[in-house]
Amino acid sequence: MKIDLHLHSHVSDGELAPAELVRGAVAAGLSIIALTDHDTAAGVPPAMDAATSLPVGVIPGIEISTRLGEFELHMLGYWIDPSSPPILAHQTASIERRTNRMHGMVGRLREMGIPISYEEVLAAAGAEVQSIGRPHLARALLAAGHTRYYGEAFARFISDAGPAFVAQAFPSPAEAIELIHAAGGVAVWAHPPLNLVETLLPEMAQWGLDGVESFRPHLSPADIDLLVQTARRYGLYPTGGSDWHGPHRTSLGDFYVREEEVYELLAAGGIVP
């Protein structure tokens, strides 16, 4: 069984519509996927609708951006109710925060002599997007000829240390964990930086964290084993996924996890006995 528990659609910063993503997962031989768009679950219902007649299971999810001191950390929520009041309230607040942040970054770029507009960012994002982010700004800069390739926008302008970066007033990890639980979900630390795991995981476990994303592309077997063992030491589920955004980077299904690697999480959602 091939499984990917971290996928994005064009409702946030992915390239495919939710239904296209589901069909692509089937074509790639995936049996279970999770749609985890940034700060919105609006793509979950169409994804689950598309899966009803296809041989794939869709776990309703979300990826919540948080801030802890100087660190931006992300929390995955699995089996959340996409229509629950906590999720809907978070989506509304996130849209406002992300809109204000993007206006700020566009303004800084213009002050630097780069004539990009908010409308160009929206055009690059597409009509279906609900969660505007830096990848959309990077696409707009590339489309307007201000950069030579997609990653140059981050390297020169909009990385966390970039001159056009504007920090967002994200909720704390503890608030995100509480929100995910209130929506009926399981909270997992997404792509944790290896240098922060031992420092932050004990406190996160006290806040009610349920799992740690341990199986990810580009990690060595030793790094994966360290994450898995550390998660289990704190009684947390090891999980995994590709963090896939679209086919221009890698093919869907190139990375996957196996049932036995994420058994505890699947069992928590009632997928396996």
Side-chain angles (χ1 to χ4, degrees):
M1 182 183 291
K2 295 181 179 180
I3 300 164
D4 194 336
L5 299 175
H6 194 158
L7 300 173
H8 295 275
S9 79
H10 73 184
V11 174
S12 65
D13 57 348
E15 296 178 33
L16 302 183
E20 290 180 294
L21 183 63
V22 171
R23 292 191 290 269
V26 173
L30 294 168
S31 300
I32 299 172
I33 63 171
L35 179 59
T36 55
D37 279 322
H38 292 285
D39 294 307
T40 178
V44 167
M48 298 189 76
D49 287 346
T52 56
S53 59
L54 295 172
V56 63
V58 176
I59 297 172
I62 192 170
E63 183 173 359
I64 296 178
S65 302
T66 77
R67 185 163 293 279
L68 183 64
E70 63 184 294
F71 304 114
E72 181 178 321
L73 308 172
H74 291 191
M75 296 292 145
L76 292 161
Y78 295 115
W79 288 290
I80 51 100
D81 176 358
S83 62
S84 65
I87 294 296
L88 295 179
H90 176 74
Q91 288 176 176
T92 299
S94 177
I95 289 171
E96 182 177 357
R97 287 196 303 266
R98 285 176 173 270
T99 298
N100 292 339
R101 179 198 200 194
M102 188 55 63
H103 278 294
M105 286 193 285
V106 165
R108 289 193 178 184
L109 286 166
R110 294 179 69 87
E111 290 172 1
M112 295 167 59
I114 301 169
I116 196 75
S117 69
Y118 182 73
E119 289 70 27
E120 287 175 281
V121 179
L122 291 181
E128 300 300 321
V129 71
Q130 292 205 11
S131 188
I132 198 80
R134 283 183 284 179
H136 304 124
L137 178 53
R139 293 178 200 171
L141 289 167
L142 179 61
H146 300 306
T147 56
R148 296 162 295 174
Y149 55 92
Y150 173 83
E152 186 180 8
F154 287 89
R156 291 178 59 195
F157 305 123
I158 58 174
S159 69
D160 286 4
F165 175 72
V166 174
Q168 188 180 160
F170 291 130
S172 70
E175 290 170 329
I177 292 168
E178 182 179 4
L179 185 157
I180 289 166
H181 288 166
V186 172
V188 171
W189 187 4
H191 40 72
L194 294 174
N195 63 318
L196 297 180
V197 171
E198 289 287 356
T199 302
L200 299 183
L201 195 57
E203 193 168 21
M204 287 193 181
Q206 291 181 354
W207 294 335
L209 185 71
D210 300 297
V212 177
E213 191 174 48
S214 306
F215 300 94
R216 310 199 309 273
H218 313 304
L219 288 184
S220 70
D223 288 338
I224 291 172
D225 185 64
L226 174 63
L227 287 168
V228 169
Q229 296 309 318
T230 304
R232 288 186 170 142
R233 189 181 348 134
Y234 290 96
L236 308 177
Y237 308 131
T239 76
S242 64
D243 197 5
W244 193 80
H245 286 73
H248 86 274
R249 304 179 189 184
T250 59
S251 296
L252 183 59
D254 280 357
F255 179 89
Y256 60 89
V257 294
R258 301 185 301 273
E259 177 184 335
E260 60 269 23
E261 292 173 326
V262 294
Y263 184 90
E264 295 97 329
L265 181 73
L266 298 180
I271 289 183
V272 295

